[in-house]
Amino acid sequence: MRETAIGLRNVAVAYRDDVALRGVTMDVYAGEFVGIAGPNGAGKTTLLTVVNGLGRLLRGEAVVLGERLAAGRRGREFRTDRRATALRRLIGYVPQNVPVDPRVPVRVREAVMMGRAGRLGLFRRPGPADWRLVDEYLELVGLSHLADRPFGHLSGGEQQRVAIARALAQEPRILLLDEPTVSLDWRSQRQVLSLIRRVHLERKLTTLMVSHDPRETFDMCDRVALLCRGRLAAFGPPREALSDARLRAVFGGGCSA
């Protein structure tokens, strides 16, 4: 029987008067690569936020790596704050591309070391073992030769590679990626996606990836979750979840095929 890394049961999330997720139920198995697709406003990023332990649940519950997140009086409730913090240390997050001021005096190696912060704590300085780990991940993403380059001087594709290395420096069991190829040119997109797939397999991660272009991206996924207006319209193998009929229905404004 396969181990469930992420289990969602009737999850609903709201931001003020806007309901972002409505009754989402799904299981993601340990070691699985799951794509998340849907039009703007479908709830894709919110789903990642729930898995990351930061989503404020209106109803339902999420169990992530054995830790339970459920709707409570404050909107979310782990069993203890300490366990919630420990859980987030096991989850690496790669956000969408964010413009970087090239004048920011942060070098690539230092940017990757920021991913160790959760492991080190507030008052512990990185030691030789931490820097060796950073160098290992820089080599993994093919950027060892740029370790001393200012982060703001890198290309968009190179910056995404650094973001992936930074997330891996946290030594996560789950990797969350929010449109990691947005704004990149075609060649950089293929390079970043190839890297993500290789990292997923080599590190035996459970990976969730949001993409704005499902047909171009999700051939590398085991399963795809298709969202529409906060609801789960489909969840299954890419060819099934992203059938022509389903894509027309969802991206055309409906939520069922």
Side-chain angles (χ1 to χ4, degrees), residues 86-91 113-122 124 130 133 167-173:
L87 174 65
R88 282 194 287 273
R89 288 178 184 150
L90 300 177
I91 300 173
M113 178 57 76
M114 292 177 185
R116 297 292 296 159
R119 293 282 183 174
L120 293 170
L122 292 175
R124 181 183 156 200
D130 298 297
L133 193 66
L168 293 175
Q170 192 173 323
E171 297 180 277
R173 291 173 57 188

Side-chain angles (χ1 to χ4, degrees), residues 88-100:
R88 282 194 287 273
R89 288 178 184 150
L90 300 177
I91 300 173
Y93 176 66
V94 178
Q96 293 183 23
N97 254 338
V98 178
V100 178

